[in-house]
Amino acid sequence: MDLENRHLKQKRGYWHYQRRVPKRYASFDDRRVVECSLRTKSIEIARLRRDAMEESDNLFWASVAGIDGETETPELVIRQRAVAQRRYKAAATRALARGFVYTPAAELAETAGVEELVERLKTVETVNENRKRTAQDAEVEAVLGGLTPPSVTVSEAFEVYCNEIASLQLVNKSADQKARWKKTKRRGVQYFIDVVGDKPMREITRQDARQFYNWWRERCEPKPGKKALSPNTASRDLGNMRQLNSEYFTFIGEEDRQNPFRNLLFETKKTGLSAVPPFEDEWVRTRILVPGAFEGMNDDAVRVVYALIETGCRPSEIANLLADDIFLDAEVPFIRIQPRRNREIKTNSSIREIPLVGVSLQAMRKSPDGFPRFRDKPDRLSNTLLQGFRRRKLFPTKKHVIYSFRHSFEKRMLEAGIDNDLRMLLMGHANSRPAYGDGGSMSFRRDELLKIAHPFTDVLSATV
């Protein structure tokens, strides 16, 4: 079967959508074969309209097959709402496939011109009012706007967004990454509900959006004795509501609907100074790379720290290494940062191979299979390291964090005169320059990193 041209048939130069009704839906749809003109001679346009008709039929069959005759329960109400949403989306999608934007009948009566109304009427046949709702009725609903848009609240739309709209974004995320993604998205939604209310999506006004904006603005303004929140957080939450609105209405076929959260954001001013300072070399060598500095701390946590120092990795990148990512027997030992089927990495540029030198090589030799205690458990790793460093007074200032090792690594490479492209590659930063070559051999990378490697004694001799 030619999947690319499935359900397509050409007649007199025009493409038609032709599809057999699945047997499991035969009792709900009295057509044996679905067929209609796609009103185009272009195969590319026909495929797009075929996709819309295919999706519409799937939604239509799902909407009529499930809930007739059941006793009403809270669970059934939820299912009925879902069916209503699918049915409306089916109508909007079918209208688009017919060359129209779905418009409710009342709005059509007020805004559509005579020519448009005649054109819409020509595309449907007379409906027999005495029979059950069939696909012919669905055609009328779609083209003539026979359905009232479903009332879906912000919280309900958010669940639709997470479970259906954004589902493909979550495919390769780990369980922890999915939970964090949803938590971040939910925060802005919940704040909006707290401030404005769990309103139906269609009833959110520009005034509501500005009320939410003003609420955030007040929280970001400095007040005596009270710490102001970051404008970045405010912009992120406003952005999440803007995205929810845009993607939800696009999902149900109303992509042209004006977004009440449009252009509402907070500008952030950069000071020119890094918010996270690097560790100075002297501090690392006299306070961290000394035997006994981490006495009493979990061995895996100590090895993660030392693995960070000469690789510049993000803590999560080290914590999630698998045995297959660690190449200790290679001529030049190295680690590979790469995505997995059940774990994403930050960006495509984060995919890289980093030679192991100095204390980082020693740490990885102690943990050739990685760090299963902290794998996919970023909160556990963060809490362990932060508490361990604070208890031992290993942060020079209150601004220093574990991420300071990454900033220190980048600063050392810069001061050693290491080529910018290699620095960006080893850091996993995106490079706008065209890529030439592969960044140098592993031995070349190792020799460059040896220029900045800290001298150390056997700081891990006490660990297993």
Side-chain angles (χ1 to χ4, degrees):
M1 179 182 178
D2 182 1
L3 292 178
E4 187 178 29
N5 294 322
R6 67 189 181 281
H7 309 320
L8 289 178
K9 185 175 182 179
Q10 197 169 30
K11 294 182 178 181
R12 297 179 182 178
Y14 285 88
W15 288 100
H16 286 237
Y17 170 72
Q18 189 177 81
R19 182 184 185 186
R20 187 175 298 277
V21 176
K23 290 182 179 179
R24 62 184 179 279
Y25 297 123
S27 60
F28 303 102
D29 191 337
D30 55 11
R31 302 171 296 175
R32 189 171 63 87
V33 175
V34 181
E35 182 172 353
C36 65
S37 172
L38 296 175
R39 303 164 68 191
T40 182
K41 293 182 178 181
S42 166
I43 184 62
E44 288 79 13
I45 295 175
R47 287 169 183 158
L48 291 173
R49 292 181 177 175
R50 179 274 318 280
D51 290 344
M53 287 298 297
E54 187 176 44
E55 180 183 10
S56 177
D57 277 331
N58 290 340
L59 290 164
F60 164 70
W61 288 323
S63 73
V64 299
I67 60 176
D68 290 344
E70 295 187 39
T71 302
E72 185 166 304
T73 63
E75 292 77 14
L76 179 61
V77 171
I78 294 173
R79 288 175 58 197
Q80 287 173 329
R81 285 186 178 182
V83 167
Q85 292 169 20
R86 287 200 301 269
R87 184 175 167 187
Y88 181 78
K89 183 173 185 288
T93 304
R94 188 180 296 272
L96 190 64
R98 292 300 203 182
F100 302 104
V101 173
Y102 181 85
T103 309
E107 189 176 336
L108 271 179
E110 292 182 3
T111 62
V114 174
E115 290 184 3
E116 181 183 349
L117 288 173
V118 170
E119 188 67 19
R120 286 176 181 261
L121 286 168
K122 283 182 179 179
T123 63
V124 298
E125 297 176 1
T126 303
V127 179
N128 185 343
E129 296 180 355
N130 296 321
R131 65 179 179 178
K132 294 191 302 182
R133 192 177 90 86
T134 67
Q136 183 65 28
D137 303 297
E139 196 79 29
V140 174
E141 288 178 348
V143 178
L144 299 184
L147 285 177
T148 300
S151 178
V152 178
T153 64
V154 173
S155 59
E156 291 169 340
F158 180 70
E159 293 305 317
V160 172
Y161 175 75
C162 292
N163 298 328
E164 298 186 56
I165 301 173
S167 58
L168 291 180
Q169 296 180 34
L170 306 179
V171 169
N172 292 320
K173 292 185 184 294
S174 67
D176 179 78
Q177 287 177 322
K178 289 176 182 177
R180 286 172 172 269
W181 178 90
K182 192 168 185 178
K183 181 180 178 181
T184 300
K185 298 288 186 182
R186 185 186 294 279
R187 184 187 63 201
V189 172
Q190 188 58 52
Y191 280 151
F192 179 83
I193 292 172
D194 292 343
V195 173
V196 179
D198 195 9
K199 300 182 67 171
M201 291 290 290
R202 294 181 181 283
E203 296 179 16
I204 297 175
T205 64
R206 180 65 168 177
Q207 183 178 354
D208 294 327
R210 292 204 67 88
Q211 181 183 348
F212 188 45
Y213 174 87
N214 291 335
W215 177 80
W216 259 118
R217 184 180 60 188
E218 290 180 5
R219 301 185 77 197
C220 293
E221 290 177 351
K223 294 181 177 63
K226 192 172 184 180
K227 183 179 179 181
L229 295 182
S230 168
N232 287 330
T233 302
S235 286
R236 189 178 301 116
D237 284 353
L238 279 161
N240 284 336
M241 281 302 300
R242 183 165 50 250
Q243 183 179 36
L244 173 64
N245 189 281
S246 174
E247 297 203 18
Y248 173 75
F249 283 109
T250 297
F251 178 69
I252 63 173
E254 298 182 36
E255 57 271 9
D256 294 329
R257 187 183 184 88
Q258 194 169 45
N259 194 321
F261 298 92
R262 63 191 180 278
N263 303 324
L264 292 180
L265 48 83
F266 293 90
E267 293 186 6
T268 56
K269 295 181 180 180
K270 297 183 179 180
T271 63
L273 299 174
S274 172
V276 177
F279 287 112
E280 296 300 330
D281 289 353
E282 183 180 2
W283 182 272
V284 173
R285 295 172 183 180
T286 61
R287 297 296 301 275
I288 294 173
L289 289 176
V290 293
F294 295 100
E295 186 175 353
M297 192 168 167
N298 174 268
D299 286 348
D300 272 359
V302 177
R303 295 170 190 169
V304 167
V305 170
Y306 287 134
L308 294 173
I309 291 177
E310 304 295 5
T311 63
C313 287
R314 302 172 179 93
S316 62
E317 292 175 335
I318 291 294
N320 289 298
L321 288 172
L322 301 178
D324 292 343
D325 302 319
I326 304 167
F327 300 85
L328 296 173
D329 294 330
E331 181 177 349
V332 177
F334 69 97
I335 56 174
R336 178 178 294 149
I337 308 300
Q338 61 184 335
R340 296 278 177 177
R341 183 178 180 183
N342 62 346
R343 162 159 280 278
E344 288 184 338
I345 60 175
K346 189 171 183 179
T347 61
N348 286 337
S349 59
S350 295
I351 302 172
R352 61 200 191 279
E353 294 179 345
I354 307 169
L356 293 168
V357 300
V359 72
S360 294
L361 174 58
Q362 187 186 32
M364 295 313 304
R365 280 176 173 161
K366 291 284 187 177
S367 297
D369 296 323
F371 308 94
R373 178 185 181 86
F374 299 112
R375 191 170 295 141
D376 206 28
K377 297 180 177 66
D379 289 339
R380 175 186 287 185
L381 176 62
S382 178
N383 291 337
T384 300
L385 295 183
L386 284 175
Q387 290 177 18
F389 269 61
R390 287 170 180 166
R391 191 175 298 121
R392 294 166 179 79
K393 299 183 180 352
L394 294 177
F395 287 134
T397 70
K398 290 183 178 180
K399 290 186 176 181
H400 281 78
V401 291
I402 301 302
Y403 223 78
S404 294
F405 284 117
R406 181 166 164 81
H407 290 249
S408 176
F409 181 76
E410 186 169 28
K411 179 183 177 182
R412 287 186 288 140
M413 288 196 295
L414 173 65
E415 293 179 345
I418 293 177
D419 177 74
N420 179 66
D421 288 349
L422 179 57
R423 297 202 315 266
M424 297 186 76
L425 184 152
L426 293 173
M427 291 294 293
H429 289 161
N431 192 340
S432 58
R433 274 194 61 198
Y436 298 105
D438 59 2
S441 66
M442 199 59 62
S443 59
F444 168 75
R445 299 182 195 184
R446 175 203 57 197
D447 292 345
E448 290 297 286
L449 289 187
L450 284 174
K451 296 177 181 178
I452 67 168
H454 291 293
F456 70 100
T457 55
D458 190 6
V459 291
L460 288 169
S461 60
T463 63
V464 178

